[in-house]
Amino acid sequence: MRAIIGSAALALAMAPAWAQESQFADYQKRTAEASPVELFELIGEDLWKKKQGPNNVSLERCDLGKGPGVLKGAHAALPRYFKDTDRVMDTETRILHCMMTLQGRSREEALKRPFGDASQPSEMEYLSAYVAGHSRGFKMTPGTKHPKEKAAYELGKKLFTVRTGLWDFSCTSCHGTEGKRIRMSELPVLSDPKAARPLMATWPAYRVSNSTFKTMQWRINNCYRQMRTPEPVWGSETVNAMNMFLTVTAQGATYRGPGTKR
Amino acid sequence: MNDQRRGTLRLAGALALAALLKPFAALAAWNQAAFASKSSADALKSLGTASAESSGQILIEAPQIAENGAVVPIEVTSNIPGTTSLAVLVEKNPYPLVAKFDFKEGALPFVKINAKMGETSDVRVVAMAGGKAYQATKEIKVTIGGCGG
Amino acid sequence: MTKNWMLGAGLALLVVPPLAVAEPSDREVQQVMKRDFRAKGQAGMDRLQQDGAQRICTATDNKPPAALAKQMEADQLKSIVYPSGSLMGDWKSGAKIAWGGRGMQWHEDPKKPADGGCYNCHEMSPQRTSAGTIGPSLRGFGKTRGNGMEMQRYVYGKIYNAKAYNLCSEMPRFGHTGSLTEQQMKDLTAYLLDPTSPVNQ
Amino acid sequence: MAGPMKMRATLSGGNTDVRVLMSHPMATEQQTKGKPHFIQNLTVKVNGKTVIEGEISQAVSRNPVFSFRLKGGAKGDKIEVSWLDNKGDTNKTETAVA
């Protein structure tokens, strides 16, 4: 009995501070264990290998930063600066780049439906699941050296605190103080590595409340929707900078997604 | 599913199988009366397990509180010797009977499912063993219901 | 010093960043946002136009100098339009507005009335537990404070424009932004102050 | 209509643990205004012999995930899981115990 108590105490001590108090920790663990998230990786694989677009080629030669065709660890090393486009790109933005350059698809066509729903997830969501799955076990090492990578981090950090929109919110309105809840959901302080690490290590993810797969592009878009702003453009500098800020804050975490969220 | 996805999936096998399995459709048993019951008592009557005796040998592993009723993982084990079936019911769902499994030679009376729960409710598990019915319940609190979304 | 605040000039709140690139100025960030957002549905680009309160609160990390805050709060207070007579509406309608989360988002029908979404941040009723904790608990609000005209005006005013009482409050300005109607704000006032409301049980 | 399935079967403590994932909307009456769409029957076979038969309802979550436990088992045993939904759609998947 003492041994059991001891190991439980140890588990608690190892859990991130904000997760310790979570009354939903057991629920979250159980849903993660019984998650259908692997299905999305499986369908994503089919789409990755499917010949598409005017050039009728697959995405198998896509260069996600580790060289053409290399998937292992690619997601965990993003976002980063890409010389060929002279900008900072995250996993999804880079996938779009490959759809356009390799498959010859137009941005409009490839992004016709960036966010899906439960009855019809989007191609991008499936592909993100497949790509991210190849980074399990890799340390998260987003780009931090190139001036544009540094600028993206600084912009994201600043955007995190900007009060804007019809209702005057900033990201910190919800994610700035430890121990707060929106409705019944605990709110992680995302500028704090101890909260950002477990979170970013499990995005993209199957989201129980949407019953489908969701990505970071969606997550940030959806936060702004609830902040009552206009819509941030998919893959824009603003969204990618925010992703960069969160990922750099989480850097060093071992990627273990795609995850399962409430 | 849309046409785009249809084309991308590993469907050839599944479609061929659909044709082959049609007879299965005619054979498959599905207890319409039990699943259409609006109370667990009626459902259990339809399953022929109306008077079940409580048993500590049925284990229900589930979260005490679920953040979202759309997915509530429930794990059920019967340690009653000779268990041949397990039924899982969510008392307060519009149709309480969630699932029923028959275990034949070679299978252990264990199953783990994800169930939808509309609200906080008792989960009732009924096991059949040696022609007798046994049951156990566990309450699961739900903060957001999961039947309509 | 005050002059600097008024100009919205970047302040020396430079926490040493792990990466040695200067952080962008507030103005640069505004330009980036204007470039990277698009009007959608009822959410127009005008919503990105920071007003004085948003600008000062952003620039000072929500800690404006006291004198300036006081002055700006007084300005915000002037924006509040009080209807004549009692400010207590129907607490039952107020409960629905307090516990609803819809309204003013780009995907929503602007013709449908918005909710207050109060439950996202405030605990209010012992019967309903799915409330957030970003704002203070409002349980027993009227019971402990009474519901005289002065209290009605405070509650109505706070809902109308929370920034009149605390410049960098995280609470939206529901009346000032046209998010809630006069009647809705009266109903919410009643939900908090009416002795028969569940809030005061 | 049938989306993909995925299954894993592993030996554990002398028994075989089976975990199977299915892509299916499992749409309730409430979600579809009275036209629910959900899997009704499940069958688990080991080397061609049926060992578990399941009847399930619309209250099983979207994209169902099930775990089962089989008595004994050996590496290479063939496990097959198939389903049939209320519209007559069906799918199956097969794997060898690892």
Side-chain angles (χ1 to χ4, degrees):
Chain A
M1 191 59 194
R2 188 161 294 161
I4 292 168
I5 292 167
S7 65
L10 184 66
L12 273 179
M14 284 161 63
W18 60 270
Q20 252 179 52
E21 312 135 41
S22 175
Q23 58 178 328
F24 297 117
D26 182 48
Y27 174 75
Q28 285 161 357
K29 182 172 154 278
R30 288 176 191 274
T31 46
E33 284 167 2
S35 171
V37 67
E38 286 165 64
L39 284 171
F40 291 81
E41 293 180 48
L42 195 69
I43 301 172
E45 180 178 2
D46 287 338
L47 288 168
W48 186 258
K49 293 176 177 168
K50 186 188 173 191
K51 291 181 175 147
Q52 286 199 85
N55 299 343
N56 197 34
V57 294
S58 74
L59 292 168
E60 287 163 292
R61 299 297 296 159
C62 180
D63 183 355
L64 294 159
K66 301 265 178 197
V70 181
L71 286 163
K72 276 271 166 238
H75 172 75
L78 292 168
R80 52 157 276 190
Y81 170 79
F82 284 86
K83 208 172 167 200
D84 55 7
T85 54
D86 189 32
R87 62 171 300 210
V88 169
M89 301 167 103
D90 65 0
T91 298
E92 291 159 83
T93 321
R94 193 63 186 174
I95 291 172
L96 173 67
H97 172 77
C98 289
M99 288 170 161
M100 291 164 64
T101 53
L102 293 178
Q103 298 182 318
R105 298 162 68 179
S106 73
R107 186 186 167 84
E108 292 65 40
E109 184 272 326
L111 272 190
K112 209 165 47 198
R113 207 166 162 274
F115 309 130
D117 54 35
S119 56
Q120 193 189 345
S122 80
E123 182 186 8
M124 185 59 77
E125 286 159 349
Y126 284 125
L127 290 170
S128 307
Y130 176 64
V131 170
H134 284 82
S135 279
R136 272 191 290 273
F138 284 80
K139 282 251 181 305
M140 296 180 78
T141 54
T144 55
K145 295 192 176 65
H146 190 277
K148 289 210 174 179
E149 290 167 346
K150 296 179 191 190
Y153 170 86
E154 289 299 335
L155 174 62
K157 183 171 150 209
K158 192 85 202 198
L159 281 164
F160 198 70
T161 63
V162 171
R163 303 212 48 180
T164 188
L166 189 70
W167 285 2
D168 312 325
F169 294 134
S170 68
C171 302
T172 52
S173 298
C174 287
H175 297 286
T177 310
E178 195 127 356
K180 297 282 184 186
R181 248 179 28 218
I182 186 161
R183 300 181 296 279
M184 289 303 278
S185 305
E186 284 113 3
L187 291 160
V189 177
L190 294 171
S191 48
D192 181 348
K194 74 176 189 288
R197 281 191 190 123
L199 200 114
M200 296 305 286
T202 47
W203 275 100
Y206 186 82
R207 213 164 170 262
V208 167
S209 44
N210 303 90
S211 290
T212 189
F213 196 80
K214 291 292 177 191
T215 65
M216 216 46 207
Q217 286 284 337
W218 173 86
R219 181 60 274 180
I220 293 164
N221 176 286
N222 202 57
C223 278
Y224 277 117
R225 173 170 65 74
Q226 294 175 80
M227 288 164 72
R228 273 75 180 176
T229 68
E231 185 177 34
V233 173
W234 193 99
S236 63
E237 196 186 326
T238 288
V239 180
N240 289 11
M242 188 70 79
N243 195 359
M244 180 63 115
F245 168 61
L246 297 173
T247 315
V248 170
T249 305
Q251 70 182 329
T254 301
Y255 186 73
R256 52 192 166 83
T260 299
K261 312 263 177 191
R262 67 167 184 88
Chain B
M1 189 171 305
N2 67 352
D3 290 342
Q4 188 193 347
R5 246 180 87 189
R6 183 189 292 273
T8 66
L9 301 179
R10 294 160 180 164
L11 273 187
L15 290 175
L17 188 78
L20 279 176
L21 277 186
K22 274 295 180 210
F24 176 65
L27 291 174
W30 194 72
N31 195 328
Q32 174 71 38
F35 282 109
S37 297
K38 297 197 169 175
S39 74
S40 67
D42 286 351
L44 292 173
K45 224 176 281 166
S46 295
L47 287 175
T49 54
S51 53
E53 136 189 353
S54 289
S55 167
Q57 296 300 299
I58 300 169
L59 310 178
I60 307 172
E61 286 270 333
Q64 286 183 347
I65 180 163
E67 203 165 359
N68 195 310
V71 178
V72 183
I74 300 171
E75 186 180 312
V76 181
T77 309
S78 170
N79 289 327
I80 303 167
T83 299
T84 51
S85 81
L86 286 171
V88 180
L89 301 96
V90 174
E91 294 284 309
K92 289 197 183 159
N93 271 5
Y95 304 107
L97 182 58
V98 176
K100 184 205 165 222
F101 296 91
D102 290 329
F103 302 94
K104 303 179 191 310
E105 182 58 36
L108 293 166
F110 163 91
V111 68
K112 190 169 163 186
I113 64 171
N114 288 333
K116 295 171 196 165
M117 291 182 67
E119 57 184 303
T120 296
S121 168
D122 270 351
V123 170
R124 182 184 304 274
V125 173
V126 178
M128 283 294 284
K132 273 190 72 180
Y134 302 86
Q135 64 171 337
T137 59
K138 180 188 168 87
E139 191 197 48
I140 301 178
K141 289 195 173 69
V142 174
T143 59
I144 306 168
C147 288
Chain C
M1 188 66 192
T2 307
K3 206 166 187 182
N4 279 347
W5 293 110
M6 300 297 277
L7 293 170
L11 286 161
L13 38 89
L14 294 170
V15 183
V16 180
L19 311 160
V21 157
E23 72 176 54
S25 71
D26 287 349
R27 230 180 105 176
E28 283 164 340
V29 172
Q30 287 305 308
Q31 281 161 357
V32 168
M33 289 178 75
K34 288 206 167 87
R35 187 197 62 204
D36 288 351
F37 283 73
R38 298 285 179 272
K40 186 170 182 178
Q42 61 176 301
M45 287 297 283
D46 55 313
R47 290 190 183 183
L48 289 186
Q49 189 62 50
Q50 281 189 312
D51 76 344
Q54 289 184 340
R55 207 162 48 236
I56 293 300
C57 295
T58 299
T60 62
D61 198 16
N62 297 320
K63 294 176 203 72
L68 177 66
K70 211 171 159 194
Q71 183 196 325
M72 292 184 73
E73 284 162 7
D75 285 344
Q76 297 285 325
L77 196 62
K78 285 181 208 145
S79 80
I80 301 173
V81 182
Y82 291 97
S84 55
S86 167
L87 298 174
M88 300 267 275
D90 168 17
W91 70 257
K92 282 182 188 129
S93 303
K96 287 193 193 106
I97 298 160
W99 290 92
R102 291 183 200 284
M104 313 315 280
Q105 301 176 84
W106 66 57
H107 68 293
E108 291 172 322
D109 180 356
K111 286 190 216 89
K112 288 190 183 147
D115 299 316
C118 314
Y119 77 115
N120 282 305
C121 302
H122 297 286
E123 186 193 23
M124 293 171 288
S125 154
Q127 285 119 51
R128 306 184 71 163
T129 52
S130 66
T133 58
I134 296 167
S137 170
L138 303 174
R139 271 177 69 175
F141 194 92
K143 203 175 175 182
T144 51
R145 291 170 183 80
N147 59 7
M149 199 58 212
E150 203 174 320
M151 190 45 65
Q152 288 180 31
R153 277 176 75 84
Y154 169 70
V155 171
Y156 187 92
K158 179 91 184 177
I159 296 165
Y160 195 104
N161 187 344
K163 271 70 180 176
Y165 305 84
N166 171 5
L167 190 67
C168 297
S169 163
E170 301 293 354
M171 182 166 153
R173 295 172 277 185
F174 292 103
H176 185 60
T177 56
S179 303
L180 295 179
T181 64
E182 181 184 302
Q183 187 58 48
Q184 285 180 306
M185 289 185 283
K186 281 163 82 169
D187 293 343
L188 283 176
T189 303
Y191 184 55
L192 286 190
L193 296 180
D194 193 311
T196 59
S197 159
V199 169
N200 297 315
Q201 301 315 304
Chain D
M1 189 61 215
M5 297 174 70
K6 184 166 183 167
M7 177 161 57
R8 211 171 289 130
T10 44
L11 286 175
S12 164
N15 293 320
T16 305
D17 282 338
V18 177
R19 183 169 183 264
V20 60
L21 290 71
M22 325 173 168
S23 185
H24 199 284
M26 300 303 289
T28 61
E29 260 181 27
Q30 274 165 279
Q31 286 165 321
T32 56
K33 297 192 175 108
K35 289 179 190 147
H37 182 204
F38 58 100
I39 295 174
Q40 291 189 323
N41 293 92
L42 282 181
T43 306
V44 182
K45 291 181 181 179
V46 182
N47 297 325
K49 182 178 144 251
T50 299
V51 290
I52 297 171
E53 274 178 330
E55 296 169 48
I56 70 172
S57 78
Q58 52 187 298
V60 168
S61 305
R62 176 184 283 271
N63 299 321
V65 179
F66 295 95
S67 294
F68 300 110
R69 198 163 287 154
L70 308 177
K71 214 178 284 176
K75 216 173 152 177
D77 277 355
K78 260 210 284 352
I79 313 289
E80 181 196 298
V81 173
S82 58
W83 59 253
L84 169 70
D85 74 16
N86 66 330
K87 293 189 178 174
D89 281 322
T90 175
N91 201 357
K92 76 163 182 177
T93 186
E94 227 178 62
T95 194
V97 174

